[in-house]
Each structure stands twice: as C-alpha cells, then as structure tokens.
Amino acid sequence: MANTEGRNQTSITEFVLLGFRDLPELLALLFLLFLVIYVVTLNILIVALVVADRHFHTPMYFFLGNLSCLETCYTSTLLPRVLASFLTGDNTISVSGCMTQFYFVSFFAAAECYLLAVMSYDRYSAICKLLHYAALMNTRFCLSLAAGSWINGFLAGIIVIVLMLQLTFCGPNKNDHFCCESTEMLNLCCNGTNQIELVITILAAIFTLPPLVLTMMSYVCIIFTILRIPSTAGRQKAFSTCSSHLIVVAIFCGTLITVYLLPKTNTLRDLNKVFFICYAILTPMANPFICSLINHEVKEALKKLSV
C-alpha cells in the first residue's frame, strides 16, 4: 500500500510539474534547444519524399515514412506543453490533461516498438529471403503490418490509462518531472498502487518484449546471412541496407530500458530525467534522419530537390 500519512486526502485537480525548477538560469537556453528540436522533428521532408517520389514506393521507405510520422506525433505530445511553460511560467497541468498526455506517450511508445520490429522483419526478408521478398512484402501485407503497429499502440495506451483512471490523487500535487511520467504519478496516489504497478509492468512486458525479441531474432539471422556472403563488397552492401535501422533500435531500446530499469532513488532522479529526455525527445528527432540521411538514395533525392 502506498504511504499516505501526512497527505491531504482531498482529491486534487491539477499537478505542478517541477522538471526544471533547479535550472532557472538555463530556462532561456532550454527553450531555444527544445524549440529547435521540435521544429526539426516536425520536418515532413522524409514523408514528402516517400509520397512524391516513385523510387521510394517500397516497403522499407513506407515503414520509414510511418516512423517519421510517429515520431512527430510522439514529440507533439510533450514539447508544446514544455515550451508553453517556459514562456508563461505556468507549470500546472490538470489531472485530465496529465492523463491524456500519459495515454499518448504510452500509445506512441508501444507503437514504435512494434514498428521497429516490423522494419527489422522487412530487412530480414530483404536479406535472408531475397528471392521471395516481393511476394512476402506485398502492398497489402505492408499496410497490415503498419496498421497493426498503430493498433497495438492504441490498445496498450487504452489498457494502461484505464488502470491509471482507477487511482485517486491527493496532496502534495508536485510532480518532479517535466511531463506526466508513470512513476512520478504513482508516487502521488493516496490509494494502494502495488497491484496497478504490477499490472502495468506485466502489460509493458506483453506489449514491448515480443517486438524486441522479434527484432533481435531478425538481426541474428541477418548477421549470419551476411557473414555467409563470399565477397567483402557484397557483405558491405547487405549490411548498409540495415545498419541505420540497427542504430535506431539500439538507441531507442537502450534509452527506453535505462529509463524504466534505472533505480528510482532521489540521487538518480535527475539522471532519470536526462535519460527520459534522450528517449522521448532526442531519439524521435534523430531516428528518421539516421534511417534516411545515411542512405545513398535519400541523399541523392535531396540533392535533386536542392538543385
């Protein structure tokens, strides 16, 4: 049971987000940094290329366009609220607004796990099942995989938020984060949270472990297939088609695991917020560019547009 001694048992209607209270002298710099990140993340150039150029009407670029769109939506659930608080000094957010933000963060995080797994399967099919690739990754199947990723994220968000809505929040209402993160929200509950924490952990495992396992299995098969290619040039060409996605998976999974496995102690609380920024803000900005800008075809298309 959560410790409620000394708390005001009157249900609260809003939270105060204290994320950057210790850095008043850096608020202007942080505002400019987050504004630049948000503008870059909103860049729809990659999606436009995938839609407009017939050379990019392939499964790999279709999924890349979905990833870029997903990252834009993800960042839009967090940064506008943070930027507004920098400008107005108002760090309050209603309980309903907090729940809404938490739902969309859960939605997009789960959807990204599945979308990255889908992208890894696409690379597996392209390298390990090359002769059957066109038949395997047909248009209908690609649409189903992309839709399934978004639907799984939607279901994950719905289930988690239904559980969170069972909680009652009471004083103090100070949330030591810059957004509505689950651990800090559970710390502000007046009723017991042990069972809900357990259920959320199980649900997180159900919605994230299968796609992560599929991703790892795909890359094990890919690596063994690449190593069997006799020529060095052939191995380099095969690896170049999946290296960018592998980097994205490593960044996303590494920061995600760090955020949720790092001990929730007072000493490590600020470090946890730093990793959360990397996972929820910097990673969405970097992922589509890592996947595209180190790709030769995308760079050539961008050169043509600039001429």
Side-chain angles (χ1 to χ4, degrees):
M1 296 291 289
N3 180 19
T4 61
E5 293 182 7
R7 290 189 179 190
N8 178 5
Q9 295 301 308
T10 302
S11 180
I12 61 176
T13 59
E14 64 180 20
F15 296 118
V16 179
L17 301 178
L18 304 176
F20 302 104
R21 71 190 189 285
D22 296 328
L23 303 170
E25 68 282 359
L26 295 179
L27 290 185
L29 179 61
L30 288 172
F31 172 79
L32 291 174
L33 176 62
F34 286 169
L35 181 61
V36 170
I37 290 173
Y38 189 46
V39 170
V40 171
T41 306
L42 286 178
N43 191 336
I44 61 171
L45 182 59
I46 297 169
V47 178
L49 279 176
V50 172
V51 172
D53 194 326
R54 294 182 61 85
H55 291 93
F56 297 112
H57 291 181
T58 64
M60 181 176 74
Y61 292 110
F62 170 70
F63 295 131
L64 178 58
N66 270 267
L67 178 64
S68 183
C69 181
L70 176 63
E71 302 291 24
T72 298
C73 295
Y74 197 174
T75 309
S76 295
T77 65
L78 297 172
L79 281 185
R81 174 67 189 77
V82 174
L83 292 171
S85 69
F86 284 145
L87 287 176
T88 64
D90 182 8
N91 294 318
T92 61
I93 183 171
S94 66
V95 171
S96 59
C98 205
M99 288 294 186
T100 302
Q101 186 185 71
F102 179 70
Y103 162 73
F104 281 108
V105 168
S106 303
F107 172 6
F108 294 127
E112 182 160 354
C113 284
Y114 277 91
L115 187 57
L116 289 175
V118 165
M119 294 173 73
S120 70
Y121 178 75
D122 173 63
R123 293 301 84 208
Y124 162 79
S125 300
I127 294 174
C128 303
K129 304 288 184 181
L130 179 59
L131 297 179
H132 306 284
Y133 179 68
L136 285 173
M137 302 303 292
N138 57 69
T139 301
R140 183 175 179 179
F141 187 54
C142 290
L143 288 172
S144 299
L145 289 175
S149 300
W150 289 87
I151 291 171
N152 273 291
F154 172 79
L155 292 176
I158 286 290
I159 295 172
V160 172
I161 202 63
V162 166
L163 291 172
M164 294 294 288
L165 288 173
Q166 309 304 312
L167 301 175
T168 302
F169 299 98
C170 52
N173 67 339
K174 298 192 178 351
N175 187 331
D176 191 14
H177 215 288
F178 63 89
C179 69
C180 297
E181 196 266 337
S182 59
T183 303
E184 292 297 329
M185 291 174 67
L186 289 172
N187 287 337
L188 301 177
C189 294
C190 359
N191 50 339
T193 62
N194 289 342
Q195 291 182 344
I196 290 184
E197 285 185 88
L198 177 61
V199 173
I200 289 177
T201 301
I202 293 172
L203 286 172
I206 292 173
F207 280 100
T208 58
L209 286 181
L212 291 179
V213 170
L214 175 60
T215 300
M216 289 187 289
M217 290 175 59
S218 297
Y219 273 102
V220 169
C221 295
I222 288 171
I223 290 171
F224 277 112
T225 300
I226 290 176
L227 291 177
R228 288 199 297 267
I229 297 175
S231 68
T232 302
R235 287 195 297 270
Q236 290 177 342
K237 182 178 179 181
F239 186 72
S240 67
T241 65
C242 60
S243 59
S244 58
H245 179 258
L246 187 57
I247 294 171
V248 167
V249 171
I251 294 174
F252 178 79
C253 295
T255 53
L256 177 64
I257 291 171
T258 302
V259 165
Y260 290 104
L261 292 186
L262 197 68
K264 305 302 187 290
T265 64
N266 290 332
T267 305
L268 295 176
R269 181 169 290 175
D270 289 337
L271 184 60
N272 182 274
K273 282 186 281 190
V274 172
F275 280 112
F276 191 90
I277 290 173
C278 294
Y279 148 66
I281 297 177
L282 296 180
T283 303
M285 178 191 71
N287 283 353
F289 289 93
I290 292 173
C291 282
S292 59
L293 295 184
I294 66 174
N295 183 286
H296 178 72
E297 292 178 333
V298 175
K299 287 190 288 188
E300 289 299 319
L302 290 175
K303 286 179 182 178
K304 291 179 182 178
L305 288 177
S306 62
V307 173

